[in-house]
Amino acid sequence: QVQLVESGGGLVQPGGSLRLSCAASGSAFNIYAMDWYRQAPGKQREWIATATSDRETNYADSVKGRFTISRDNAKNTVYLQMNSLNPEDTAVYYCKANARAMGGPRRGYWGQGTQVTVSS
């Protein structure tokens, strides 16, 4: 199994910035693409960004130009730099790793989520 531990969430004022981190750990695993999702109360979980193992990136329209996904493959860590935050960005943010562990099939692994609240 691959474990994903997220950090960096918290309370920030509108217009502010946060940097989220998600570190993967486990035994005998390979990570391919890594994603960030978010889910606001009463809303479906929304994909917001992807970084492949070759560091190709893509973004949802709602965050494009404000958020930057990056990864450090040596540290098995993916980051989400969030700038120009607004209250609509308030959500629980989740990372997801497309990975293979213990010789098993490739599948998605989810982090526990970290709360981001944008409020004055």
Side-chain angles (χ1 to χ4, degrees), residues 66-106:
R66 300 187 297 121
F67 291 10
T68 301
I69 186 172
S70 61
R71 60 189 290 175
D72 186 334
N73 290 340
K75 297 181 179 179
N76 288 322
T77 300
V78 64
Y79 305 93
L80 187 68
Q81 178 67 46
M82 305 184 295
N83 299 325
S84 301
L85 287 163
N86 58 64
E88 289 70 36
D89 296 315
T90 296
V92 177
Y93 284 71
Y94 299 88
C95 65
K96 177 187 176 183
N98 181 15
R100 183 175 67 241
M102 298 294 293
R106 191 181 305 187

Side-chain angles (χ1 to χ4, degrees), residues 38-60:
R38 66 185 182 186
Q39 188 166 23
K43 303 293 181 64
Q44 290 184 301
R45 191 166 297 186
E46 174 192 20
W47 167 83
I48 57 174
T50 292
T52 72
S53 58
D54 293 324
R55 299 180 182 86
E56 298 177 357
T57 61
N58 201 10
Y59 300 91

